[in-house]
Amino acid sequence: MLTGCASAPPRHLDNICHIFDEKNGWYDDARNAEKKWGSPISVMMAIMHQESRFQSKAKPPRTKILWVIPGPRKSSAYGYSQAKDATWNWYKDKAGRWGADRDEFDDAIDFIGWYNTQSRKLSGIKLNDAYRLYLAYHEGHGGYNRGSYGSKGWLKQVAKKVSARAATYQRQLKGCQKRLESDGWWFF
């Protein structure tokens, strides 16, 4: 009964139109974040896909003590955006979103848009550059600016996947955006 409150992830993660068709209100939330922060819907959704696969209560795996006993988690990352506690608090303070929750889609997509805008300001990354935005998202702005990702071939591969997914989502969105824009508008 308690799990009924948690939002299940969408069934078709590889098609942004199907995601928005299945999850009522998500398109409007993503569009609002895009308008507010300038980060494309496709980029924000690709980052969220990579971080949590759209699982509202996602957490990093626990470490193991003596290979069996569950230990502490590797970080405080949580929710759709996998934002760490300190970064989430920075967002709530600077964006004025004190009631924001990491396990609420509208707050998480707004956070990703805000963070991408910070990446533009602090690291000079274009808001449609999913590859570099993801590197900054993963490494933090200081790490990105120092090039900490340079020796992390695995991370650069992940960033390529995020960039490819953003491009796919953008192509898909072109095919359904007009319909999504018109959904819910009934005039009598």
Side-chain angles (χ1 to χ4, degrees):
M1 192 157 113
L2 292 176
T3 58
C5 296
S7 177
R11 289 187 299 271
H12 304 287
L13 303 181
D14 295 329
N15 189 307
I16 199 168
C17 298
H18 292 164
I19 291 170
F20 289 143
D21 285 339
E22 182 180 345
K23 295 297 186 177
N24 189 31
W26 279 22
Y27 174 74
D28 291 337
D29 294 333
R31 185 186 59 192
N32 289 342
E34 179 183 57
K35 286 180 179 178
K36 185 175 181 182
W37 302 111
S39 186
I41 291 172
S42 57
V43 172
M44 293 183 293
M45 291 291 284
I47 290 172
M48 188 179 290
H49 176 279
Q50 179 59 42
E51 291 298 291
S52 68
R53 302 296 189 275
F54 304 106
Q55 295 177 35
S56 64
K57 306 223 183 265
K59 296 178 184 176
R62 291 187 176 277
T63 57
K64 298 287 185 188
I65 301 169
L66 299 175
W67 303 279
V68 181
I69 302 165
R73 297 190 189 280
K74 293 179 181 182
S75 81
S76 62
Y78 176 72
Y80 288 112
S81 63
Q82 286 296 285
K84 294 178 181 178
D85 291 348
T87 309
W88 190 257
N89 288 334
W90 177 39
Y91 159 70
K92 291 195 306 183
D93 181 44
K94 296 301 180 189
R97 303 273 309 229
W98 286 105
D101 293 314
R102 290 177 280 184
D103 57 6
E104 295 290 335
F105 179 83
D106 63 329
D107 294 332
I109 199 80
D110 190 76
F111 167 81
I112 294 171
W114 172 83
Y115 196 90
N116 288 348
T117 297
Q118 300 311 304
S119 296
R120 180 180 53 78
K121 290 177 183 175
L122 300 172
S123 302
I125 303 170
K126 293 180 181 177
L127 290 173
N128 63 352
D129 186 345
Y131 178 81
R132 287 177 181 78
L133 287 171
Y134 185 74
L135 290 173
Y137 194 89
H138 189 275
E139 296 294 279
H141 300 115
Y144 176 85
N145 293 342
R146 287 189 305 275
S148 62
Y149 56 87
S151 62
K152 298 177 181 175
W154 63 270
L155 178 58
K156 291 189 265 187
Q157 288 301 314
V158 171
K160 284 180 186 178
K161 284 175 38 181
V162 171
S163 181
R165 182 170 302 279
T168 297
Y169 278 175
Q170 184 59 39
R171 282 191 305 275
Q172 292 167 343
L173 194 55
K174 283 182 181 179
C176 66
Q177 196 159 19
K178 280 187 180 181
R179 178 180 51 78
L180 291 168
E181 291 284 337
S182 66
D183 281 356
W185 292 96
W186 295 93
F187 296 100
F188 297 99

